[in-house]
């Protein structure tokens, strides 16, 4: 799917008219083009396969947990087209000493987040990508986010955080799950 700048600009112009604004007003003249460019960036994950970042891997003598925590992400709720943002914690336990670059985990989060999403699906997509590309012993993805569709409209509960998780393989073992939670919480939260 490719982004249609002209159609996006027309849609923004129509929305401005629909809400009672004048798109010819000085302050709004360039708004349709600006908003279209912003949406192109916000939804850039639609034009990529984020899992491809995990195709590059290497061998390291370890079978211990690898965790990258506090990966900041921003996404767009597919129900209201309003942002949600937060942190992802991504961990896996290598199989056969196969690991990937740490930045690749952040790239996977970014790629899936830059689509119209729900947090539950986003969490699962990240975990499934690791399972499919790395074949690890286990995967855990925990995501914490604030949803503006809940804080700036509707119920208006500022500061409410949604937490989702997906555990696969040995991460379902209670001792491994506890280790993961201890590492994510890090003693400073």
């Amino acid at each position: 799917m490719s982004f249609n700048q002209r159609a996006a600009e027309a849609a923004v112009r129509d929305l401005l008219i629909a809400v009672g604004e004048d798109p010819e007003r000085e302050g709004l003249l360039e708004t349709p083009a600006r908003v279209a460019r912003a949406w192109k960036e916000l939804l850039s994950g639609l034009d990529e396969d984020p899992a491809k970042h995990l195709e590059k891997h290497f061998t390291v003598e370890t079978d211990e947990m690898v965790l990258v925590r506090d990966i900041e992400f921003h996404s767009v709720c597919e129900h209201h087209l309003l942002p949600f943002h937060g942190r992802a914690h991504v961990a896996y336990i290598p199989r056969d000493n196969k690991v990937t670059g740490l930045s690749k985990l952040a790239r996977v989060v970014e790629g899936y987040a830059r689509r119209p999403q729900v947090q539950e699906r986003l969490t699962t997509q990240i975990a499934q990508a690791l399972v499919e590309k790395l074949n690890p012993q286990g995967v855990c993805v925990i995501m914490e986010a604030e949803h503006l569709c809940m804080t700036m409209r509707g119920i208006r509960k500022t500061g409410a955080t949604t937490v989702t998780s997906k555990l696969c393989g040995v991460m379902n073992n209670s001792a491994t799950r506890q280790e993961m939670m201890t590492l994510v919480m890090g003693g400073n939260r």
Side-chain angles (χ1 to χ4, degrees):
M1 183 176 115
S2 64
F3 187 81
N4 184 328
Q5 180 77 21
R6 178 174 275 144
E9 288 180 28
V12 173
R13 182 176 166 73
D14 288 346
L15 178 62
L16 289 170
I17 293 168
V19 299
E21 262 294 354
D22 176 10
E24 299 301 319
R25 182 167 62 79
E26 181 182 6
L28 294 175
L29 281 174
E30 295 179 34
T31 296
R34 284 193 297 265
V35 171
R37 286 191 305 272
W39 279 98
K40 181 179 182 180
E41 180 181 342
L42 291 172
L43 303 181
S44 61
L46 289 169
D47 289 329
E48 74 167 287
D49 173 13
K52 75 177 170 28
H53 297 292
L54 300 172
E55 291 174 358
K56 184 167 179 103
H57 40 77
F58 47 94
T59 303
V60 174
E61 294 300 318
T62 186
D63 61 356
E64 296 296 324
M65 187 182 304
V66 177
L67 165 66
V68 177
R69 68 179 194 187
D70 296 324
I71 302 168
E72 186 179 339
F73 72 90
H74 296 84
S75 193
V76 175
C77 165
E78 67 183 36
H79 298 140
H80 299 98
L81 295 182
L82 289 172
F84 66 97
H85 61 95
R87 298 179 319 228
H89 315 287
V90 180
Y92 68 99
I93 298 176
R95 182 185 311 277
D96 301 324
N97 307 111
K98 183 165 70 171
V99 299
T100 190
L102 300 176
S103 69
K104 304 304 184 204
L105 300 177
R107 290 182 191 282
V108 170
V109 170
E110 181 77 6
Y112 285 116
R114 292 213 171 255
R115 300 171 171 197
Q117 277 289 13
V118 294
Q119 184 174 333
E120 299 87 345
R121 181 187 319 114
L122 175 58
T123 305
T124 299
Q125 286 175 326
I126 295 164
Q128 287 176 336
L130 269 75
V131 168
E132 291 171 12
K133 296 295 185 177
L134 297 179
N135 188 31
Q137 296 179 57
V139 169
C140 179
V141 177
I142 299 172
M143 302 193 82
E144 308 170 64
E146 181 178 359
H147 293 249
L148 294 186
C149 58
M150 201 173 113
T151 61
M152 68 183 284
R153 59 154 301 280
I155 192 71
R156 295 186 186 133
K157 294 300 176 192
T158 304
T161 302
T162 301
V163 179
T164 53
S165 65
K166 178 69 175 172
L167 288 84
C168 306
V170 299
M171 290 292 198
N172 283 302
N173 170 291
S174 61
T176 308
R177 184 179 325 118
Q178 182 58 45
E179 176 187 358
M180 171 65 185
M181 294 309 294
T182 299
L183 290 171
V184 166
M185 297 310 289
N188 59 357
R189 296 177 192 249

